[in-house]
């Protein structure tokens, strides 16, 4: 997706340069794996069924989970919101670590964490949504119905963000951004809108791995 310029015409620093994940892997349906320190890795697209799979994962191993670490290009709006509610009900934190992507509907899932940690080299972005209908439902042909659906979607998202303790004004950036583009937040914006409550720090394993890599 294209990067959206700031209103004054300046182009923000592109956080996509930090993303280290395999683009093909991120397009696959979201999968979960429990790592050290109670970190549940959630990687891949948020498809219809992601929330159900997360619920089953937490039912099976939830006692060990402390943080849900997201790396996702987004996807199904309803599942993203359902994931956020499940995370909040489970009293878990969320994270977008350095090198991870959280775009489109993913920030709505990220919003569910009690603590929401974003790495300084994380890419978190939003854009417009069409409607709340399922992927199998036909797109509305009536302009009035399409506008009504868009307004209902915006209201639902704003209500969700408010319930999660986040300033709903953050979604104005999504409304200004066409679906084929993404608006990426700066660390200052993430903190100002309360989408992020702190900075994600590299874990010991990540530090050791980076030190082991040969330098050029």
């Amino acid at each position: 997706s294209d990067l959206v310029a700031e209103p004054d015409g300046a182009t923000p620093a592109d956080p996509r340069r930090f993303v280290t994940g395999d683009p093909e892997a991120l397009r696959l349906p979201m999968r979960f794996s429990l790592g050290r320190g109670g970190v549940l890795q959630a990687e891949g697209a948020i498809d219809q069924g992601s929330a159900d799979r997360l619920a089953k994962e937490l039912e099976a191993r939830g006692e060990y989970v402390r943080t849900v670490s997201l790396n996702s290009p987004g996807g199904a709006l309803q599942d993203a919101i359902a994931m956020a509610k499940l995370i909040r009900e489970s009293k878990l934190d969320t994270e977008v670590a350095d090198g991870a992507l959280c775009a489109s509907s993913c920030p709505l899932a990220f919003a569910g964490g009690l603590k929401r940690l974003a790495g300084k080299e994380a890419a978190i972005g939003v854009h417009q949504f069409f409607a709340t209908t399922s992927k199998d439902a036909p797109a509305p042909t009536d302009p009035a119905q399409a506008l009504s659906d868009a307004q209902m979607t915006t209201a639902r998202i704003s209500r969700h963000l408010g319930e999660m303790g986040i300033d709903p004004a953050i979604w104005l950036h999504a409304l200004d951004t066409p679906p084929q583009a993404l608006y990426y937040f700066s660390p200052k914006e993430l903190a100002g809108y309360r989408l992020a409550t702190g900075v994600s720090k590299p874990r010991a394993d990540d530090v050791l791995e980076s030190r082991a890599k040969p330098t050029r």
Side-chain angles (χ1 to χ4, degrees):
S1 298
D2 295 332
L3 182 70
V4 174
E6 297 286 1
D8 61 4
T11 300
D14 189 345
R16 292 176 297 184
R17 70 187 188 277
F18 298 127
V19 175
T20 58
D22 178 2
E24 293 301 322
L26 290 181
R27 293 190 185 99
L28 297 174
M30 179 165 279
R31 52 215 173 274
F32 302 95
S33 60
L34 184 60
R36 294 183 180 180
V39 177
L40 182 67
Q41 301 287 346
E43 182 173 273
I46 301 175
D47 62 324
Q48 293 183 21
S50 290
D52 288 340
R53 293 197 299 277
L54 175 60
K56 290 178 181 177
E57 185 74 24
L58 293 179
E59 183 179 354
R61 300 193 287 176
E63 62 184 300
Y64 303 108
V65 178
R66 299 291 177 268
T67 302
V68 177
S69 186
L70 293 154
N71 188 15
S72 171
L77 175 65
Q78 293 184 13
D79 274 70
I81 291 177
M83 286 175 63
K85 292 183 176 180
L86 181 58
I87 289 168
R88 183 61 62 90
E89 290 169 0
S90 302
K91 296 181 172 57
L92 303 175
D93 299 333
T94 51
E95 171 190 63
V96 183
D98 286 337
L101 171 70
C102 186
S104 186
S105 67
C106 177
L108 299 178
F110 176 59
L114 289 178
K115 293 180 181 178
R116 301 175 292 277
L117 308 178
K120 293 181 179 179
E121 295 184 354
I124 301 176
V126 294
H127 60 184
Q128 294 170 358
F129 283 96
F130 288 111
T132 57
T133 54
S134 71
K135 66 178 181 180
D136 297 323
T141 56
D142 180 4
Q145 183 61 50
L147 178 60
S148 175
D149 289 346
Q151 290 175 335
M152 290 176 63
T153 298
T154 300
R156 184 181 183 190
I157 291 171
S158 297
R159 189 178 301 112
H160 167 68
L161 292 170
E163 290 173 351
M164 297 295 111
I166 295 157
D167 185 350
I170 194 173
W171 207 251
L172 293 174
H173 295 290
L175 298 178
D176 285 338
T177 306
Q180 68 272 20
L182 277 165
Y183 181 95
Y184 288 95
F185 296 108
S186 68
K188 183 177 180 181
E189 287 174 322
L190 292 172
Y193 290 116
R194 301 189 299 278
L195 183 58
T197 60
V199 177
S200 174
K201 297 180 180 180
R203 289 181 284 276
D205 289 351
D206 297 332
V207 173
L208 291 173
E209 182 179 350
S210 65
R211 288 176 179 172
K213 291 180 180 178
T215 56
R216 295 182 179 179

